């Protein structure tokens, strides 16, 4: 979890590959109306996010119900505690990893990224919306580390094995 530009997709894909998990990016599940708003530089509202979060929750539940038992790495901004609460409505263990970075680093990353629908002007909106998780809610890692080092830290701290 984290704001746009924090490296969720890069780190999530690498982590999934390392531990043999399925990978899903929540951005791929946004309805077209949400994508259109973000392209126009309009922040999403809780009403915009509600159906999207419910869909992600179903995706998580389907993975948990799957008899194969393959883990899922799902990247999602999960900016508010209430959003994270929607995603964790289960008795099964779900861990959050907060990719934490400063505005300068995030802005630099977003300006270098050209093909994503997220308008970099929305970063301030995301930072204002972000309810930073505490240490009991999420493993917190700094995005100043290289991606491979982040993956190693996450895998070790969460006890994830290939």
């Amino acid at each position: 979890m984290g704001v746009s530009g924090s490296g969720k997709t890069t780190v999530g894909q690498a982590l999934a590959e390392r531990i043999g998990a399925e990978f899903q990016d929540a951005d791929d599940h946004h309805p077209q109306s949400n994508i259109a708003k973000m392209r126009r530089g309009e922040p999403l509202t809780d009403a915009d996010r509600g159906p999207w979060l419910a869909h992600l929750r179903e995706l998580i539940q389907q993975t948990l119900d799957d008899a194969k038992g393959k883990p899922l790495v799902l990247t999602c901004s999960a900016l508010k505690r209430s959003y994270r609460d929607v995603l964790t409505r289960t008795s099964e263990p779900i861990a959050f990893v907060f990719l934490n970075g400063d505005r300068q680093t995030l802005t630099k990353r977003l300006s270098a990224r050209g093909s994503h629908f997220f308008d970099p002007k929305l970063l301030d909106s995301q930072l204002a919306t972000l309810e930073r998780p505490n240490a009991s809610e999420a493993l917190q890692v700094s995005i100043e580390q290289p991606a491979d080092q982040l993956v190693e830290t996450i895998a070790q701290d969460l006890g994830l094995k290939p």
Side-chain angles (χ1 to χ4, degrees), residues 79 81 84 98 100-101 127 130-134 137 140:
L79 298 173
R81 186 165 290 110
R84 296 188 291 274
F98 176 43
N100 192 11
L127 290 170
L130 177 63
E131 294 174 359
R132 294 177 181 276
N134 63 43
E137 295 173 299
Q140 299 185 31

Side-chain angles (χ1 to χ4, degrees), residues 48-135:
D48 296 324
R49 288 186 179 102
W52 172 66
L53 289 165
H55 172 76
L56 295 175
R57 176 70 199 107
E58 290 174 21
L59 177 68
I60 292 168
Q61 192 60 54
Q62 288 171 358
T63 301
L64 292 170
D65 293 344
D66 187 356
K68 295 175 189 167
K70 189 172 186 177
L72 171 67
V73 173
L74 172 67
T75 58
C76 180
S77 54
L79 298 173
K80 290 184 178 181
R81 186 165 290 110
S82 62
Y83 303 164
R84 296 188 291 274
D85 288 346
V86 169
L87 297 174
T88 58
R89 288 187 188 142
T90 180
S91 60
E92 298 295 325
I94 294 175
F96 284 94
V97 176
F98 176 43
L99 300 180
N100 192 11
D102 62 49
R103 187 184 186 292
Q104 181 180 358
T105 301
L106 295 163
T107 300
K108 184 177 175 181
R109 288 180 173 195
L110 287 172
S111 64
R113 178 171 87 172
S115 63
H116 197 273
F117 58 78
F118 184 85
D119 186 325
K121 293 181 280 187
L122 292 173
L123 177 60
D124 288 333
S125 163
Q126 282 200 334
L127 290 170
T129 301
L130 177 63
E131 294 174 359
R132 294 177 181 276
N134 63 43

Side-chain angles (χ1 to χ4, degrees), residues 9-22:
T9 301
T10 300
V11 172
Q13 286 175 328
L15 179 64
E17 185 176 312
R18 183 186 188 283
I19 65 171
E22 177 185 352

